[in-house]
Amino acid sequence: MTTIRPGDLALLKLREAGLTYAQIAERCNLSRNSVRGRINRAKRAASADSVPIGNIAEAPRQRPEADEHRYKELTARLSKLPRLARILICSDQHMPDHDARAIRLSVKLAGLVQPDMIVLNGDTFDFPQISRFPMHHTSKRTDVFRAVRGAYHGYIHDLCSAAPSAAIIHLDGNHNARLGSYLAEHTDFQETLLDEYRALVRAGNRVLYLGEVQELELPGLLIQHGTRYGKNAAAHALEDLGGNFPMVQGHTHRPASIYKKVKGRTPAGYQVVMSAVGGCLCNIPPAYTAHKTRQGAHQLQGVVIAHVDMKRGALTNLQNVVFHARADGGLLAVIGNDVVEVSAR
């Protein structure tokens, strides 16, 4: 389920009341582009959920109680850290169409960074068997959960071994949501399959599953799978939030970063707000675009490392870590003076 942010819902209601984008922007002290983007996002979420607009605010969030409790404990603990919280954000694995090299490199980076939190930021699974789009001939027709279980659980095991103190949180993405669309049309075993999916994601309670949500709002940082696409995705995503809140998204497979100076309660009178789009951990081009021309031309693999002041929610620094190809077919990433590498196999 996609949940509309209350601010977006308020803008949408103003639009439905007959106000123009310019009038809404003036009333809410936002740019017209931001107003238009947030209203469009609210419309997409409402359409995806098939919930009447008037009931969006009351629509229940599907967050299992046990994981919600663990998540609250986690954020409370990180807010008491005497240092910045370290968060590793890994997007778009698209299992079983993942790149084993990129997966292994993300694990080695987790071992180097030792994050407090690892966020699997959507499209962890591809589910091509139940997509409304035709499968590419390279995709195997098999049980959708069996196709990803081994690789995913192995990935979680390796992350836990590399960074034993990190909490792992799973977010859904538009490809994960293929399961929800499928179950909407095949209701006979809906609850059974949803239970199986939750068990798959949790990987023996090593991963926090917060429900069918695609964003996570932390003090000082919004992490979302995202809907923006193209080379300006980082800038447009920041505009969607009014240009004054740090954020990370995935989805586009095209790493990008943008910085903006906004008024802030600091001695200098301003603070720097950053927006980043992370790379992917899947094959390039992914199988779902393999039949199209040059779809992988601008796609890159990588992760995002965030340092967040969760106590004050004011300072957030984002580092896009791009994976580079080695001559022997392996991959490498550079963080400061550290070069982390994996072989082709």
Side-chain angles (χ1 to χ4, degrees):
M1 169 180 276
T2 307
T3 303
I4 295 183
R5 293 170 62 87
D8 294 353
L9 177 61
L11 297 180
L12 179 56
K13 288 184 174 180
L14 289 174
R15 178 63 176 160
E16 290 185 331
L19 273 68
T20 65
Y21 290 121
Q23 290 171 331
I24 297 172
E26 183 178 0
R27 175 180 293 193
C28 300
N29 195 27
L30 297 170
S31 70
R32 276 182 287 184
N33 285 338
S34 176
V35 168
R36 185 180 292 105
R38 292 173 65 172
I39 289 175
N40 287 337
R41 181 171 64 181
K43 287 180 178 179
R44 287 193 299 268
S47 176
D49 291 340
S50 298
V51 178
I53 293 298
N55 297 330
I56 290 294
E58 294 76 34
R61 293 173 67 91
Q62 298 183 10
R63 287 190 165 186
E65 184 62 33
D67 290 4
E68 175 72 11
H69 180 69
R70 292 169 60 195
Y71 172 71
K72 289 181 178 179
E73 289 181 343
L74 170 65
T75 54
R77 176 170 59 84
L78 296 185
S79 295
K80 296 177 182 178
L81 288 175
R83 55 171 174 79
L84 300 177
R86 294 186 294 269
I87 303 173
L88 178 65
I89 303 158
C90 306
S91 302
D92 297 278
Q93 293 83 358
H94 286 276
M95 292 180 174
D97 191 31
H98 57 285
D99 186 325
R101 304 169 305 162
I103 293 293
R104 286 188 281 116
L105 187 51
S106 71
V107 170
K108 293 191 73 170
L109 288 172
L112 174 65
V113 175
Q114 289 299 307
D116 302 292
M117 179 190 299
I118 300 172
V119 179
L120 306 179
N121 189 24
D123 283 0
T124 320
F125 312 120
D126 194 58
F127 294 152
Q129 301 91 336
I130 54 176
S131 169
R132 62 186 178 90
F133 299 103
M135 284 179 59
H136 190 259
H137 66 86
T138 58
S139 299
K140 296 181 179 179
R141 295 188 178 277
T142 183
D143 180 283
V144 291
F145 294 159
R146 183 178 299 173
V148 301
R149 184 178 287 111
Y152 173 70
H153 285 181
Y155 181 37
I156 298 304
H157 174 271
D158 291 344
L159 285 174
C160 290
S161 298
S165 298
I168 304 177
I169 295 179
H170 182 276
L171 298 179
D172 274 354
N174 55 298
H175 283 243
N176 300 73
R178 289 172 171 175
L179 178 63
S181 300
Y182 176 84
L183 293 179
E185 298 179 2
H186 303 80
T187 60
D188 296 351
F189 300 98
Q190 187 176 86
E191 287 304 317
T192 300
L193 290 175
L194 282 175
D195 286 344
E196 287 293 321
Y197 176 65
R198 292 162 185 155
L200 168 70
V201 169
R202 287 186 172 117
N205 287 327
R206 291 176 291 183
V207 177
L208 277 67
Y209 177 62
L210 303 181
E212 298 171 51
V213 295
Q214 298 188 24
E215 68 177 29
L216 182 70
E217 187 168 352
L218 301 170
L221 178 64
L222 177 69
I223 303 172
Q224 61 178 199
H225 181 64
T227 58
R228 288 296 190 174
Y229 199 84
K231 65 180 181 180
N232 296 318
H236 291 153
L238 187 61
E239 288 179 0
D240 289 345
L241 297 179
N244 57 6
F245 198 79
M247 68 160 300
V248 176
Q249 81 157 52
H251 182 58
T252 182
H253 304 189
R254 296 177 64 173
S257 300
I258 191 168
Y259 312 87
K260 183 176 181 180
K261 183 190 289 187
V262 300
K263 292 182 179 179
R265 296 178 180 177
T266 65
Y270 71 89
Q271 66 186 64
V272 177
V273 174
M274 307 176 70
S275 173
V277 176
C280 63
L281 298 177
C282 63
N283 288 315
I284 297 176
Y288 65 88
T289 63
H291 61 289
K292 300 178 181 178
T293 303
R294 301 177 64 85
Q295 287 297 303
H298 301 289
Q299 297 185 14
L300 291 170
Q301 295 163 330
V303 299
V304 176
I305 299 172
H307 288 81
V308 184
D309 185 345
M310 293 186 61
K311 183 181 297 184
R312 299 176 179 84
L315 174 65
T316 299
N317 189 72
L318 305 176
Q319 180 182 358
N320 239 323
V321 181
V322 174
F323 295 177
H324 300 268
R326 297 196 321 187
D328 63 356
L331 296 174
L332 68 84
V334 181
I335 302 180
N337 293 325
D338 295 301
V339 179
V340 185
E341 303 180 76
V342 295
S343 62
R345 294 185 179 181

